[in-house]
Amino acid sequence: MSTTLTHAGLPTGITRFDLLRLFEQVARPGFGLSSTAVALVRHYILKTMDADYLRGRICAVWTQASRFAEALGITPRSINSAERELERTGFIIRNAGINGARAGDRQDGIITWAAGINLAPLITRYGELRGKAEALDLQARAISQCRAEIRQLGQRIRHACDDALRQRAEAILPGGRTARITSIARLTAIRETLSAMLDAIASAPAADPRAPKTSDAPEENCAPNIQDKNSPRSCSARGAAPDRITPTAAVSVATQAYQGLVAGLGGATWPNIVEASWRSCARLGIAQSTWGRACQHFGRERAALCVLLIDRNAELPGDHRYKARSPSRCLSGMMRKDQSQGFNLTGLFRAGQSDQVVAERDGRVLPVDPFQPAIEDLDNGALGLFASDLLARLSTQFEGGAAQ
């Protein structure tokens, strides 16, 4: 192999570090490369210079494998194995000088010849790497969307109050969790199977007229109670879905980022609010275990409303006394308060239009006690102002309790 192999250069505006980031993004999921091979390419690129990536230049390194092994803290045998892996997948070309030694020459910052590791194949495959990254991103979005649809189907199955249907769904997807399923084909099959089960229920003959009647109101106006039948909590008013709160009213007091997330999911519905709160947990630093406990304690919709309001206070200025500095502690504090004294979440969204609920004093709005019964719904503007100040006070209280 020639020691003067040149390349066509990177696209305009792309640096060697852009190439490295792209390679690290797709090397393992897209090409199945080992972590050692990825680390070795990083070491190669860091040993080169920016001028080596211009059109018509030679981009190569000729450091001995033993030196690479010493720098990476692994054995020379592992280096040789990783180099063979990269050569087999077409990302490098290996050539050696006399007696297998690696050598090269750089004059005025330009490599004139090199016998070692040539990176020309990696450079010329930049377009392929970018296409692979876009494909992986689309696949990740498809997987996320499919998982969200499966969760919504699971909620509808639980809401159907059909033990046989629920057992069949459990057999298809034990535990109802999809986090460990990464195959889009398998996720799609699960989604289609659950959807077919619901379609069969919808097309079934009418139920016995002696059976209890259910509401035909749309989901946007009636939040379903989707508590699991094995839940240790009783079906009390406190544990049920928040009554008299429509999804539209709930989203109206949320932050712009939260509202945008709900809009991206398809609009203000209870499943989309639950999904938006679940996604917001990672941004707020709320552990999934804490979110899971909140769902088990409050029910999914009420837990979602708690996260919605915590997210609102998390965006207060840093010096604001009501800023939710620890959203995870706020959510845990809400559960403790609910368990010990009862927590009127609906009171955060409902209030009277009298002086007992909202009053102005010295140019500010006074909050009310959320654990007292509320009266009528506020309009969206007053509701947002009320919930912001009220949950702020609660956030401070809960954070203080968690720290003790």
Side-chain angles (χ1 to χ4, degrees):
M1 179 64 63
S2 172
T3 58
T4 59
L5 178 65
T6 61
H7 57 82
L10 290 172
T12 303
I14 302 301
T15 69
R16 56 182 173 136
F17 298 107
D18 296 327
L19 174 64
L20 175 58
R21 282 191 291 268
L22 184 60
F23 176 80
E24 291 179 330
Q25 179 182 350
V26 303
R28 300 192 70 179
F31 298 95
L33 293 175
S34 65
S35 58
T36 302
V38 177
L40 190 56
V41 169
R42 166 177 279 273
H43 209 63
Y44 290 156
I45 293 178
L46 293 178
K47 295 284 286 185
T48 60
M49 299 176 62
D50 292 338
D52 299 339
Y53 295 84
L54 299 177
R55 178 185 292 273
R57 299 290 178 85
I58 299 172
C59 186
V61 293
W62 50 89
T63 305
Q64 299 299 324
S66 58
R67 296 287 184 85
F68 282 133
E70 182 179 354
L72 296 177
I74 55 180
T75 64
R77 182 175 181 179
S78 297
I79 294 294
N80 289 326
S81 177
E83 287 181 348
R84 287 194 297 270
E85 184 181 356
L86 290 168
E87 187 176 33
R88 184 173 61 253
T89 52
F91 286 107
I92 65 171
I93 293 176
R94 291 195 299 174
N95 62 317
I98 301 175
N99 298 325
R102 297 180 178 180
D105 185 37
R106 185 187 291 273
Q107 296 182 5
D108 297 327
I110 301 175
I111 298 175
T112 57
W113 68 274
I117 304 297
N118 193 298
L119 300 180
L122 174 62
I123 296 171
T124 57
R125 294 178 69 177
Y126 175 83
E128 178 188 351
L129 295 175
R130 185 173 59 183
K132 179 70 73 172
E134 293 174 353
L136 290 172
D137 181 62
L138 289 175
Q139 183 182 26
R141 293 185 182 185
I143 288 175
S144 177
Q145 178 64 26
C146 196
R147 285 173 174 167
E149 292 174 359
I150 289 174
R151 283 193 292 272
Q152 292 185 8
L153 289 170
Q155 291 172 357
R156 292 173 58 190
I157 288 173
R158 289 191 293 272
H159 183 50
C161 299
D162 188 324
D163 291 340
L165 182 64
R166 185 176 298 180
Q167 290 175 3
R168 289 170 57 193
E170 179 70 18
I172 296 171
L173 185 61
R177 299 185 180 275
T178 59
R180 296 185 179 182
I181 302 177
T182 58
S183 170
I184 184 63
R186 185 180 175 191
L187 288 170
T188 301
I190 292 172
R191 181 190 63 189
E192 297 303 323
T193 303
L194 295 177
S195 180
M197 290 169 55
L198 283 171
D199 290 343
I201 291 296
S203 60
D208 189 335
R210 294 171 296 178
K213 295 183 179 180
T214 59
S215 173
D216 292 328
E219 185 181 60
E220 289 77 6
N221 296 323
C222 181
N225 183 3
I226 56 174
Q227 291 288 330
D228 188 82
K229 66 174 183 178
N230 295 323
S231 174
R233 295 176 57 82
S234 62
C235 296
S236 63
R238 184 163 55 94
D243 59 343
R244 299 185 63 193
I245 300 177
T246 66
T248 302
V251 174
S252 70
V253 304
T255 61
Q256 291 185 354
Y258 191 101
Q259 291 177 355
L261 186 56
V262 172
L265 291 170
T269 65
W270 285 117
N272 289 345
I273 290 175
V274 172
E275 176 72 15
S277 290
W278 175 75
R279 294 188 184 185
S280 298
C281 284
R283 174 169 52 83
L284 294 170
I286 299 176
Q288 288 301 305
S289 57
T290 305
W291 163 254
R293 290 197 305 271
C295 289
Q296 185 177 12
H297 182 88
F298 289 119
R300 288 177 181 268
E301 289 89 351
R302 296 173 67 84
L305 291 179
C306 289
V307 173
L308 181 154
L309 293 174
I310 290 173
D311 176 59
R312 184 183 182 91
N313 267 44
E315 288 201 354
L316 290 173
D319 58 348
H320 199 290
R321 62 171 179 163
Y322 292 149
K323 180 177 177 61
R325 294 178 174 81
S326 178
S328 183
R329 288 184 176 182
C330 288
L331 187 56
S332 298
M334 287 178 175
M335 287 186 280
R336 286 196 303 273
K337 180 69 83 173
D338 181 55
Q339 188 173 10
S340 61
Q341 301 178 17
F343 178 51
N344 184 9
L345 178 62
T346 305
L348 291 175
F349 289 90
R350 299 165 53 201
Q353 297 178 339
S354 64
D355 292 339
Q356 297 177 353
V357 180
V358 178
E360 284 198 13
R361 180 179 300 169
D362 299 329
R364 63 188 181 90
V365 177
L366 298 179
V368 299
D369 186 351
F371 304 107
Q372 296 298 325
I375 310 174
E376 298 294 332
D377 293 339
L378 289 170
D379 58 74
N380 289 347
L383 181 63
L385 189 59
F386 166 71
S388 175
D389 193 49
L390 183 55
L391 185 71
R393 191 179 65 169
L394 288 175
S395 299
T396 305
Q397 180 181 4
F398 292 149
E399 287 180 352
Q404 292 177 357

